[in-house]
Amino acid sequence: MRWSQMFIPTLREAPAEAEVDSHILLLRGGFIRQLAAGIYSYLPLAQRVLNKIAKIVREEMDRIGAQEFFLPALHPAEIWQESGRWDVMGQNLFLPPERPDES
């Protein structure tokens, strides 16, 4: 795909909230955009880079006979409760919505 046809929203100035050089460069270069506090979206350039890295890792894993697998992003509460992390993590966990009493 041609550079002129890609979605690459570059910035002239560094955003005020960006303090680390790598963060500033990723934002200004059009690789990422902040969605919310601590949550970033990968833009097309970043996705291309991630795909190339994943390809290299897969090739090396195949070369040594390793296997790839994916783990779920959400886990049952029991796992967190057994390890004692349920109370420690508190509001940082993705919790199901509270249900009204079914009377």
Side-chain angles (χ1 to χ4, degrees):
M1 177 175 280
R2 294 183 146 199
W3 185 270
S4 61
Q5 295 174 327
M6 286 191 68
F7 177 66
I8 307 172
T10 58
L11 301 174
R12 291 181 191 269
E13 302 294 324
E17 70 275 1
E19 297 177 8
V20 181
D21 290 341
S22 58
H23 185 201
I24 293 169
L25 292 171
L26 287 169
L27 287 167
R28 288 191 59 207
F31 287 83
I32 61 173
R33 278 294 176 266
Q34 187 168 6
L35 180 61
I39 302 173
Y40 290 86
S41 299
Y42 293 124
L43 299 179
L45 282 180
Q47 187 62 47
R48 287 175 57 109
V49 170
L50 291 171
N51 288 343
K52 288 181 180 185
I53 292 170
K55 180 182 176 204
I56 292 167
V57 170
R58 281 192 185 99
E59 289 171 355
E60 292 300 314
M61 287 178 61
D62 288 342
R63 190 178 60 76
I64 62 172
Q67 296 178 0
E68 179 180 9
F69 61 93
F70 290 96
L71 298 173
L74 299 176
H75 300 100
E78 294 80 24
I79 296 173
W80 290 78
Q81 290 164 345
E82 286 176 20
S83 67
R85 296 177 292 163
W86 184 260
D87 295 323
V88 174
M89 293 304 292
Q91 294 299 316
N92 292 325
L93 295 172
F94 179 81
L95 302 173
E98 293 189 26
R99 297 181 184 148
D101 291 336
E102 296 179 25
S103 304

